[in-house]
């Protein structure tokens, strides 16, 4: 069964304290892996798509990487405005084109 | 605003009532998806459309749920005879066929009392 597990469930950082969020996945064949940011009471905001192992994408203080079994979202020198829940999702080959399988997310809090 | 639009943003209803939500996708997107998200969980896939055709429905989508996209533009999701377990955030997303990235709306928060 296709599955996505994110860790940790929650992460508290001081402003400027860099860290990484983990997304482990099990799929029959990976079509794409996605990172979203979600603020309380709002819909997920698209961040990155990764397609194959070794790929990296960057946006401001965020950098996403992908291996054959997991993805990392690295946050460099975070600011309080980076506080949010970060969701990882996969789409599998052979599965529905519309079906993203999400993890439960990592809730990030950045204190000033 | 050219993003995905959902209405209403919040809905409180009594158990047993019917509710309908609307989603307007990004204008050039021909794929439209519905997801449901409960507190502390990631979104769960419900159904998706390509143009007006409903191509897949999740096992989560009971007989009380129905979705339509009559002209391949906006979509509605109806829940009949609501139950307390239907309380959740209902999210709509859209994408271009052939592209994997889906863009979400702000969601409709349903509370069944």
């Amino acid at each position: 069964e296709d599955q996505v597990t994110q860790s940790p469930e929650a992460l508290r950082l001081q402003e400027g304290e860099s860290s990484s969020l983990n997304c482990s996945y099990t799929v029959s064949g990976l079509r794409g892996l996605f990172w979203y940011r979600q603020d309380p009471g709002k819909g997920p905001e698209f961040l990155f798509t990764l397609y194959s192992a070794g790929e990296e994408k960057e946006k401001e203080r965020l950098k996403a990487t992908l291996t054959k079994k997991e993805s990392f979202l690295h946050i460099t020198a975070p600011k309080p405005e980076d506080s949010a829940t970060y969701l990882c999702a996969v789409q599998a080959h052979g599965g529905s084109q519309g079906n993203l399988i999400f993890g439960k997310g990592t809730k990030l809090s950045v204190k000033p | 605003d050219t993003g995905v639009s959902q209405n209403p943003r919040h809905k409180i209803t009594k158990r047993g009532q019917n509710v309908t939500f609307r989603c307007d996708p990004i204008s050039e997107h021909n794929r439209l998806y519905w997801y449901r998200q409960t507190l502390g969980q990631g979104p769960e896939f419900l159904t998706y459309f390509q143009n007006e055709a409903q191509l897949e429905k999740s096992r989560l989508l009971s007989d009380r749920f129905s979705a339509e996209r009559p002209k391949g533009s906006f979509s509605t999701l109806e829940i009949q005879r609501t139950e307390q377990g239907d309380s959740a955030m209902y999210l709509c997303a859209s994408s271009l066929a052939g592209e994997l990235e889906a863009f979400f709306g702000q969601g409709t928060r349903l509370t069944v009392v």
Side-chain angles (χ1 to χ4, degrees):
Chain A
E1 182 182 344
D2 298 335
Q3 197 169 347
V4 175
T5 303
Q6 292 188 246
S7 62
E9 289 186 8
L11 181 62
R12 289 188 171 191
L13 299 174
Q14 289 296 127
E15 184 172 2
E17 179 187 2
S18 301
S19 189
S20 296
L21 314 183
N22 177 263
C23 171
S24 298
Y25 62 92
T26 305
V27 291
S28 49
L30 183 69
R31 179 177 282 149
L33 183 142
F34 310 86
W35 282 99
Y36 286 86
R37 169 193 169 127
Q38 187 172 31
D39 292 305
K42 298 192 175 181
E45 175 189 348
F46 172 78
L47 293 174
F48 303 110
T49 307
L50 301 167
Y51 296 97
S52 57
E55 190 174 359
E56 298 182 351
K57 294 264 179 86
E58 284 189 69
K59 179 181 179 180
E60 296 179 353
R61 294 178 293 282
L62 301 177
K63 179 180 177 180
T65 62
L66 181 64
T67 72
K68 288 186 177 180
K69 293 184 178 181
E70 58 192 350
S71 176
F72 292 93
L73 185 66
H74 307 279
I75 303 177
T76 302
K79 298 182 178 181
E81 53 262 42
D82 295 322
S83 298
T85 295
Y86 290 85
L87 295 166
C88 173
V90 298
Q91 192 173 100
H93 280 297
S96 163
Q97 296 252 344
N99 190 350
L100 292 179
I101 301 164
F102 280 86
K104 293 183 178 182
T106 293
K107 185 174 182 179
L108 174 67
S109 298
V110 182
K111 302 299 182 185
Chain B
D1 188 347
T2 56
V4 177
S5 177
Q6 292 189 246
N7 288 287
R9 291 293 314 278
H10 303 276
K11 179 71 176 179
I12 300 174
T13 191
K14 291 184 178 180
R15 190 173 49 189
Q17 297 295 305
N18 299 344
V19 294
T20 300
F21 311 138
R22 177 178 169 126
C23 172
D24 288 272
I26 295 171
S27 59
E28 63 269 26
H29 286 185
N30 49 5
R31 285 192 176 165
L32 185 148
Y33 317 87
W34 286 100
Y35 284 79
R36 179 172 68 188
Q37 186 178 25
T38 53
L39 203 61
Q41 304 294 315
E44 294 176 300
F45 171 76
L46 294 178
T47 188
Y48 96 97
F49 294 82
Q50 181 155 317
N51 300 313
E52 66 275 9
Q54 189 172 18
L55 297 187
E56 185 171 349
K57 293 191 288 187
S58 164
R59 289 169 293 175
L60 293 174
L61 210 65
S62 79
D63 292 345
R64 297 183 297 104
F65 287 67
S66 63
E68 294 183 343
R69 194 182 182 199
K71 297 183 179 179
S73 56
F74 73 92
S75 175
T76 58
L77 178 68
E78 181 183 17
I79 309 174
Q80 296 182 326
R81 305 180 304 280
T82 52
E83 302 172 356
Q84 285 189 322
D86 297 331
S87 296
M89 174 79 88
Y90 289 84
L91 294 163
C92 176
S94 69
S95 73
L96 284 167
E99 294 190 3
L100 300 187
E101 292 83 2
F103 297 89
F104 284 83
Q106 297 290 47
T108 294
R109 167 73 65 189
L110 173 66
T111 303
V112 181
V113 298

